[in-house]
Amino acid sequence: MKKLKLYGFNNLTKTLSFNIYDICYTKTDADRKEYVAYIDEQYNSDRLTKILSGVCDIIGAHILNIAKQDYDPSGASVTILISEEEVPLYVVDPSCNRGVIACPKHVVAHLDKSHLTVHTYPETHPGGNISTFRVDIDVSTCGTISPIKALDYLINSFDSDIITIDYRVRGFTRNMAGEKHFIDHNIISIQDYISSDILKKYDTMDVNLHHSNIFHSRLIIKELNLDNYLFNTSETSLSEEEKSDILRELNREMVEIYYGMNLPLIK
């Protein structure tokens, strides 16, 4: 296919906003505290940096700067400034570290047209047995590289029970005749960029505004293997009634998150 010749730089901005939820049954207050500590250890800023660096490799971006932070009492954040083309060392701003963090106590956050960010939110509630872990990821690129190439990698990098994905192409670029182009690739649904092996595990929902280049997809896990959702509890130690109650709690939490609404309590 012949490449369209542009007047100047392809400045279309492609932004992927990606939310992942992991749900867990935590029976006691001690379990809930331990769950948050476990999540903080498993998904600390170092591991999150590796995940985002993997995204850069997949989409063909070059790292200019990394800023990362673990928070007290919980949660972590990472921001990576990227460029489509590799930037010569003499051009790079002195405040940038090109991915080599020499002084972890000094954190400088960069947010530009091309960037990746991740924030984690472990969450529990003393009045319930369900704990949740939310990950917010934003990948914004400017030029020909596209963040949706990394969807499978991101989904597989976390325990993903519920996934919400927003993809938007903003701005325009011009061809040599001055004609505006508001998108540079064909897309019908975000799900077209997710592997069939992943999709078959989820029920899905799409809301797309093609005329505005806005695409939205939601995924919720189909089958609940109870043992995968028990923290410090074994399925063999539970009665059938307890198993049924826990599955009902887990399902309620997932459905509320998936649809973004609280369900009425039924006694």
Side-chain angles (χ1 to χ4, degrees):
M1 185 176 176
K2 190 176 180 182
K3 259 190 170 181
L4 181 68
K5 194 169 183 181
L6 299 180
Y7 179 78
F9 175 62
N10 181 346
N11 58 14
L12 287 168
T13 301
K14 301 156 191 172
T15 301
L16 178 74
S17 294
F18 193 87
N19 305 96
I20 295 173
Y21 298 85
D22 175 48
I23 312 301
C24 190
Y25 177 81
T26 47
K27 189 174 183 179
T28 66
D29 284 338
D31 288 343
R32 286 183 272 281
K33 290 176 183 177
E34 193 174 335
Y35 170 79
V36 171
Y38 168 79
I39 290 296
D40 272 346
E41 181 182 351
Q42 289 295 306
Y43 295 102
N44 58 37
S45 62
D46 286 336
R47 183 176 180 190
L48 295 173
T49 299
K50 289 179 182 177
I51 291 172
L52 290 192
S53 297
V55 173
C56 291
D57 290 339
I58 291 170
I59 67 176
H62 298 271
I63 295 174
L64 295 179
N65 192 81
I66 296 177
K68 64 189 182 74
Q69 182 65 49
D70 294 293
Y71 297 110
D72 185 16
S74 62
S77 294
V78 178
T79 299
I80 299 182
L81 179 70
I82 61 174
S83 63
E84 180 179 1
E85 302 293 337
E86 188 167 9
V87 178
L89 188 59
Y90 71 91
V91 177
V92 177
D93 190 285
S95 68
C96 293
N97 55 45
R98 294 174 69 92
V100 180
I101 302 177
C103 181
K105 291 183 179 178
H106 181 65
V107 178
V108 181
H110 286 267
L111 204 62
D112 205 348
K113 291 178 182 175
S114 297
H115 65 271
L116 295 82
T117 64
V118 58
H119 308 285
T120 65
Y121 304 89
E123 186 266 351
T124 66
H125 190 278
N129 296 322
I130 304 298
S131 296
T132 62
F133 170 50
R134 183 176 112 232
V135 182
D136 290 354
I137 299 174
D138 287 285
V139 183
S140 187
T141 64
C142 191
T144 59
I145 58 177
S146 174
I148 52 177
K149 293 179 181 178
L151 275 176
D152 286 357
Y153 170 77
L154 285 170
I155 293 170
N156 289 326
S157 294
F158 301 91
D159 292 326
S160 309
D161 293 318
I162 302 118
I163 306 165
T164 63
I165 311 168
D166 292 289
Y167 179 63
R168 182 180 181 185
V169 182
R170 293 174 293 171
F172 63 85
T173 191
R174 294 180 186 270
N175 63 17
M176 294 302 291
E179 182 185 7
K180 297 182 184 71
H181 292 264
F182 296 93
I183 195 165
D184 62 355
H185 60 293
N186 294 322
I187 177 171
I188 302 299
S189 167
I190 294 170
Q191 293 177 38
D192 294 338
Y193 294 84
I194 302 174
S195 73
S196 57
D197 286 341
I198 290 177
L199 284 176
K200 67 184 180 185
K201 300 176 185 176
Y202 294 90
D203 287 320
T204 63
M205 176 170 61
D206 255 10
V207 180
N208 299 311
L209 301 175
H210 297 95
H211 61 284
S212 298
N213 293 327
I214 298 174
F215 307 88
H216 175 81
S217 284
R218 298 185 193 181
L219 296 83
I220 184 170
I221 201 78
K222 284 181 180 178
E223 297 182 9
L224 299 185
N225 182 344
L226 184 56
D227 233 12
N228 293 336
Y229 294 89
L230 301 175
F231 190 80
N232 285 346
T233 304
S234 171
E235 187 174 352
T236 56
S237 67
L238 301 171
S239 68
E240 292 303 317
E241 184 179 357
E242 287 175 317
K243 292 178 187 177
S244 179
D245 288 342
I246 293 170
L247 282 171
R248 187 161 48 249
E249 283 188 71
L250 289 167
N251 184 69
R252 179 190 180 89
E253 182 81 359
M254 291 185 188
V255 169
E256 287 186 340
I257 293 171
Y258 183 66
Y259 288 105
M261 63 178 68
N262 292 306
L263 297 176
L265 287 171
I266 302 174
K267 295 185 179 179

